[in-house]
Amino acid sequence: PETQEWVRMQNFTGQTRAAAAGFYLNGNIYFGTGQSLNDYTSLNDFWKYNIAANTWTRLNDFTGNPRHSASGFAIEDKGYFTSGVEFKWNSYHSPTGDCWEYASASDSWFKINGYDNLEWGDTDGLAGGVSVVTGNIAYYGLGGNSTMGDYNMRVYAFYPALNNIWERITNFPEDNNNSSMAFALDGIPYFRKS
């Protein structure tokens, strides 16, 4: 930044929310899902912020189940959402381990392989985890799920170039409380527990 100062941009025009997911792709920020701060229900709306034009545009809704605490990332010309949990009053829903691919050219979502079928028979996953991309591989983990003993230490690798396969890799070495962060530096993924 040349001026090293904060500049107020266009306010988000959608519903106020928490625990949404997003990714950066082709000069735009894509953002959606989350939990409504009005009635706490899970959301599935999806938006694009055009950085150059400083405008928000509502896109086609995310076609998976409404959810919050999902994670988003982009690899090459595709965006991805994985995981999250749907909130409904008076019922518990386990986090999902599914994965969805977004094609910006057609504004379309496609369900692809998730990591949920690696260990749980397509029934469970993590919520509130973090993701980071290095090269053409995404790493996701350190999320929450009260039904799995080491859930908040699990990390998965996602390989879209290899038919969208997921692989569980070595656990993060320390327990964490589901508010972690991840980043990449010089092609190396780093995870930080909270």
Side-chain angles (χ1 to χ4, degrees), residues 84-179:
V85 64
E86 182 176 2
F87 176 82
K88 292 184 178 178
W89 289 103
N90 300 321
S91 63
Y92 173 77
H93 290 267
S94 293
T96 180
D98 61 358
C99 188
W100 294 79
E101 180 181 272
Y102 179 72
S104 61
S106 61
D107 186 20
S108 302
W109 288 97
F110 304 93
K111 187 173 184 181
I112 60 174
N113 294 329
Y115 64 89
D116 48 2
N117 59 5
L118 292 178
E119 301 168 275
W120 310 292
D122 198 31
T123 60
D124 228 343
L126 305 174
V130 293
S131 57
V132 60
V133 174
T134 60
N136 291 325
I137 302 170
Y139 299 90
Y140 171 77
L142 308 187
N145 184 327
S146 61
T147 64
M148 300 181 299
D150 63 350
Y151 65 88
N152 59 357
M153 298 166 64
R154 294 183 186 200
V155 179
Y156 298 87
F158 171 63
Y159 307 92
L162 300 176
N163 295 318
N164 299 321
I165 65 168
W166 287 84
E167 173 187 33
R168 183 171 172 190
I169 60 176
T170 304
N171 276 8
F172 188 75
E174 297 180 23
D175 198 359
N176 75 90
N177 69 359
N178 192 27
S179 294

Side-chain angles (χ1 to χ4, degrees), residues 3-24:
T3 59
Q4 296 186 3
E5 63 184 45
W6 290 98
V7 176
R8 176 92 185 221
M9 307 304 283
Q10 177 66 39
N11 286 345
F12 175 59
T13 53
Q15 186 175 156
T16 305
R17 68 195 65 209
F23 51 83
Y24 173 83

Side-chain angles (χ1 to χ4, degrees), residues 42-64:
S42 296
L43 304 169
N44 69 341
D45 57 337
F46 191 60
W47 298 77
K48 175 175 77 173
Y49 176 70
N50 183 306
I51 297 170
N54 190 25
T55 57
W56 286 96
T57 304
R58 182 156 183 183
L59 303 171
N60 290 328
D61 286 348
F62 171 67
T63 53

